Amino acid sequence: MPKPRLKIIPLGGLSEIGKNMMVMEYEDDIIIIDAGLMFPEEGMLGIDLVIPDISYLLEKQEKIKGIVITHGHEDHIGALPYLLPQLNVPVYSTKLTRGLISVKLKERKALAGANLRVVPFGGKITLGKFRVEFFPVCHSIPDAAGLIIHTPVGTVVHSGDFKLDYTPVSGQPTALSRLAQLGGQGVLLLLSDSTYAELPGYTPSERVVGETLDRVMADAPGRVIITTFSSLVSRVQQVIDAAAKHQRRVFIVGRSMSDTARMALELGYLQAPDGILARLDELRGMPHNKIVFVTTGSQGEPTSALVRMANRDHRQVHILRGDTVVISATPIPGNEALINRTLDNLFKQGAQVLYSKVAPVHVHGHASQEELKLLLNLVKPRFFMPIHGEYRHLSLHAKLAQSVGIPKDNTFVLEDGDTLEISPQAGKITDKVASSNVYVDGLSVGDIGGVVIRDRKMLSKDGIVIVVIAINQQTGKVVGRPDIVSRGFVDTRESSDMIEESRDLLARVLDHGGTRPADWGFINTKVRDTLSKFYYEQTRRRPMILPFMVKV
Ligand SMILES: [Zn+2]
Ligand SMILES: [Zn+2]
């Protein structure tokens, strides 16, 4: 009988950026680390969000002891509103992270019944046979944590998302001494953030951005509009600090930015001197060089305040000639097209626009290669598994680990669903569990499958043809020529001859039913086959064909 082993199963976040979720399982105990979402890729038409597939967990529900969240970014908490009602277990996190989780749950009306518990840095919780300790890491959000997980097989260190900023704007620097101490005692496995494993050197400090914002506030002739992620509380703090220094007042615009700022102020993660924050109804008559707006919209989200301002669609604020707009964020992959359109609109309205390609207005929150190596050297794990990143990031990170002396056989590059089993001596990938994308479209979760997306691709590529077929109620026979309506297929005026021809063709094909009542299934198939073939011959396109029956 082999000894029980520790299982590590990523359900999201490996070979992709986003929807991070990691399962750790030992005998009858399971803990889940993070429950994030991913924004859809370009091919996922009409999909709002993507969340991890938890069918593996639903089978073992009684084993799950809790969800441990490293920090409050969407790619770590965003799936909670959808998954928590199904899993119904306590959620452990630091204080600000809990605040952000409750904002998210409230938005989706999933807060009632949620069991959200705060764990301080250095605090330990016992979840079955796992003992989990939170340690501070520096990242682009305050109160971000890494995890030390004591298991019967050995100690596991999970880095969360991290970098090594020695002069962070808010929060604490990464707890290097605690990690070094652990390294001395022996660590079985290190799971470490690979998001920026491609970048050599060190990630610059947040201070760089502070200096740029200071210059912008001093030099801008008119209003300054700064957009960033609502969760980037430290950036909002930098904006407030710079505004205070240059006697500007700060207007926080947009619901998610206001909600987060209010929560961060209440919890003490954001400090604003008296009288610096202003309400939009105080805007009238204020000199332009005394005004700063902070809004969301850095990803070109169509409903965000910045995009509405850029499209002259915002109720209170429009972009004016002389405004300076600062996009203090990097594009999340997949959002580039939306962001570029927003940039163009801002330029058209006469704004001066600063974004990361033209000015140091953002630093990202992840460790570069030298920082990753330092963590490996401090923790000195027996086994190493890169997490959080596309396959190339994970591979490069594994190579870095080997370069600092971790044997190749002890580094494991997994993809979502792969199951790594480790004992104190050895590790092996043994299994693959379900880990596909679960799509969220508006209010519906999970019932959008590949078929729906394929249909949407077809619609977007070749359009749709609707065929209306009249059937006599009494005889059940087809009456007259079918009607054809199309959208996104051909120019109906230019191609009216072809459409007419296809109506004739259909009438002929459907007519030789004789006295037999028409069978709808037969007509449906016949119409699709006939038109697909005919339109393809004529246009080399394959529109979606949708027959409709009207009884007359
Ligand atoms: Zn993060
Ligand atoms: Zn992340």
Side-chain angles (χ1 to χ4, degrees):
M1 184 73 185
K3 281 186 85 175
R5 291 165 177 203
L6 176 66
K7 285 189 190 174
I8 315 277
I9 312 167
L11 291 181
L14 272 71
S15 268
E16 65 196 356
I17 300 282
K19 74 175 175 63
N20 296 296
M21 184 181 241
M22 179 76 71
V23 173
M24 289 180 76
E25 183 173 355
Y26 181 83
E27 290 187 319
D28 288 331
D29 297 311
I30 284 180
I31 58 170
I32 302 165
I33 300 168
D34 290 334
L37 62 73
M38 184 166 68
F39 293 101
E41 288 160 22
E42 221 147 321
M44 302 177 187
L45 300 170
I47 295 299
D48 298 329
L49 317 163
V50 186
I51 58 176
D53 180 346
I54 56 161
S55 37
Y56 179 78
L57 292 168
L58 292 176
E59 283 165 22
K60 306 195 166 196
Q61 197 141 13
E62 72 292 342
K63 287 187 173 188
I64 305 170
K65 298 296 180 290
I67 305 176
V68 181
I69 301 288
T70 58
H71 64 286
H73 277 152
E74 295 265 28
D75 56 327
H76 299 258
I77 66 168
L80 281 173
Y82 307 98
L83 303 184
L84 205 50
Q86 297 180 64
L87 294 173
N88 208 1
V89 291
V91 179
Y92 300 87
S93 69
T94 57
K95 195 163 92 180
L96 178 70
T97 307
R98 187 182 70 165
L100 289 161
I101 292 170
S102 48
V103 169
K104 276 281 139 225
L105 292 179
K106 208 163 158 193
E107 255 172 42
R108 292 275 159 191
K109 303 197 171 28
L111 186 58
N115 181 353
L116 308 179
R117 303 190 190 173
V118 170
V119 184
F121 287 126
K124 294 188 182 81
I125 47 170
T126 302
L127 299 171
K129 294 196 187 61
F130 297 101
R131 216 166 85 248
V132 184
E133 175 186 337
F134 285 58
F135 66 92
V137 295
C138 188
H139 183 42
S140 46
I141 188 168
D143 244 13
L147 306 169
I148 298 159
I149 304 152
H150 303 279
T151 81
V153 180
T155 303
V156 178
V157 174
H158 185 298
S159 73
D161 279 353
F162 83 103
K163 62 175 171 181
L164 303 178
D165 193 337
Y166 302 110
T167 52
V169 171
S170 48
Q172 318 179 33
T174 304
L176 297 177
S177 58
R178 177 75 182 111
L179 293 170
Q181 186 191 14
L182 278 175
Q185 293 160 356
V187 169
L188 180 70
L189 171 70
L190 171 66
L191 309 168
S192 177
D193 177 15
S194 314
T195 313
Y196 275 82
E198 287 171 320
L199 290 192
Y202 295 88
T203 299
S205 170
E206 302 274 330
R207 297 280 148 146
V208 176
V209 180
E211 287 157 18
T212 311
L213 290 176
D214 193 63
R215 246 191 341 269
V216 170
M217 304 266 185
D219 299 347
R223 311 184 305 178
V224 176
I225 300 162
I226 293 169
T227 176
T228 189
F229 302 105
S230 60
S231 62
L232 192 33
V233 176
S234 56
R235 193 63 43 82
V236 178
Q237 183 69 59
Q238 288 177 306
V239 172
I240 291 173
D241 293 346
K245 191 169 161 196
H246 298 285
Q247 292 85 44
R248 288 175 183 259
R249 294 192 74 194
V250 178
F251 297 79
I252 296 180
V253 190
R255 205 192 47 168
S256 69
M257 187 62 90
S258 316
D259 285 355
T260 309
R262 190 176 316 119
M263 191 267 301
L265 280 165
E266 271 167 25
L267 296 181
Y269 289 90
L270 199 57
Q271 264 98 36
D274 280 344
I276 189 123
L277 295 177
R279 291 189 321 271
L280 280 177
D281 52 24
E282 300 175 67
L283 191 57
R284 191 176 288 275
M286 203 179 280
H288 284 181
N289 62 359
K290 296 289 168 226
I291 295 173
V292 179
F293 296 106
V294 184
T295 106
T296 52
S298 65
Q299 301 303 307
E301 308 94 313
T303 56
S304 65
L306 180 73
V307 171
R308 296 212 312 270
M309 290 177 196
N311 290 320
R312 313 197 72 74
D313 182 34
H314 194 276
R315 270 194 309 141
Q316 287 129 316
V317 189
H318 288 167
I319 299 293
L320 305 174
R321 195 157 289 281
D323 284 350
T324 303
V325 180
V326 178
I327 316 267
S328 187
T330 32
I332 294 172
N335 293 344
E336 290 88 351
L338 282 174
I339 297 168
N340 288 338
R341 197 179 314 148
T342 306
L343 287 175
D344 285 340
N345 280 335
L346 291 167
F347 275 104
K348 273 184 205 162
Q349 308 284 337
Q352 197 205 348
V353 191
L354 301 174
Y355 48 106
S356 52
K357 276 184 192 153
V358 301
V361 290
H362 180 65
V363 293
H364 60 79
H366 300 272
S368 303
Q369 289 177 356
E370 293 308 311
E371 294 154 86
L372 296 174
K373 285 197 253 177
L374 180 59
L375 183 71
L376 281 154
N377 276 326
L378 285 176
V379 176
K380 295 202 280 287
R382 181 183 247 285
F383 301 112
F384 174 66
M385 177 178 153
I387 57 171
H388 304 169
E390 305 272 6
Y391 200 80
R392 63 181 183 283
H393 304 133
L394 305 178
S395 306
L396 285 168
H397 200 178
K399 292 240 160 57
L400 285 179
Q402 287 151 28
S403 79
V404 300
I406 305 215
K408 191 160 187 265
D409 288 345
N410 289 6
T411 37
F412 300 97
V413 177
L414 273 68
E415 291 185 82
D416 290 348
D418 285 341
T419 304
L420 173 67
E421 287 191 40
I422 48 177
S423 70
Q425 291 78 34
K428 200 175 161 205
I429 296 174
T430 54
D431 199 5
K432 180 129 190 141
V433 308
S435 61
S436 48
N437 285 335
V438 172
Y439 300 115
V440 179
D441 176 10
L443 294 175
S444 76
V445 181
D447 59 354
I448 312 290
V451 179
V452 176
I453 297 201
R454 200 177 59 226
D455 282 353
R456 287 179 182 178
K457 275 188 189 149
M458 205 169 158
L459 284 170
S460 75
K461 218 170 114 241
D462 291 336
I464 184 168
V465 172
I466 294 167
V467 186
V468 184
I469 296 162
I471 301 214
N472 183 307
Q473 296 234 49
Q474 266 82 47
T475 66
K477 285 178 66 179
V478 175
V479 181
R481 278 196 330 156
D483 265 324
I484 288 181
V485 186
S486 76
R487 286 287 180 276
F489 169 46
V490 288
D491 183 321
T492 38
R493 266 165 312 176
E494 272 175 30
S495 305
S496 63
D497 287 352
M498 184 191 69
I499 297 290
E500 285 306 309
E501 208 179 313
S502 64
R503 291 179 67 192
D504 290 339
L505 175 66
L506 271 189
R508 277 202 305 281
V509 171
L510 296 176
D511 189 39
H512 51 64
T515 50
R516 201 159 44 93
D519 168 57
W520 180 244
F522 170 78
I523 294 179
N524 198 323
T525 315
K526 194 81 193 163
V527 168
R528 286 170 199 258
D529 290 352
T530 309
L531 287 186
S532 286
K533 187 159 170 280
F534 177 75
Y535 288 144
Y536 187 72
E537 279 163 4
Q538 301 285 321
T539 63
R540 297 282 162 227
R541 289 177 202 163
R542 295 191 189 282
M544 179 183 283
I545 293 165
L546 219 52
F548 269 101
M549 168 172 52
V550 236
K551 290 195 169 153
V552 292

